[in-house]
Amino acid sequence: QLQLVEAGGGVVQPGGSLRLSCAASGFAFNYYAIGWFRQAPGKEREGTLCIANDGGSINYADSVKGRFTISRDNAKNTVYLEMRSLKPEDTAIYYCAAFWGRQCPPPKAKYNYWGQGTQVTVSS
């Protein structure tokens, strides 16, 4: 009943771009901040960006600054992650997650709901 569904992943060459989406249903979307996380094989999960209900955002990772942007469409219960200038080290499964609160939490906070992820592969 409570769902977050990611879409938009795929295979892209270095320097390319992708736009991911996270569609939410089954809960009061506007009460939650939404974060994007990623996990590569053999590595710990890493936060990238978070966006609050009012559109305020924070960056969890220096490695994506200037390349990734996050946006939110509350009317559609959807959050987007635009990725550009992609690098091989960006390869990972990307997850969106919802945190109950007006503000984005620290990146290691316990988010309430998680999607199943979408694979992003950056390779030549």
Side-chain angles (χ1 to χ4, degrees), residues 96-112:
C96 65
F99 178 85
W100 191 92
R102 294 185 179 275
Q103 306 295 328
C104 287
K108 294 186 177 181
K110 188 174 180 64
Y111 277 67
N112 299 94

Side-chain angles (χ1 to χ4, degrees), residues 85-97:
S85 300
L86 284 163
K87 305 174 181 179
E89 51 263 45
D90 294 319
T91 296
I93 301 175
Y94 283 72
Y95 301 88
C96 65

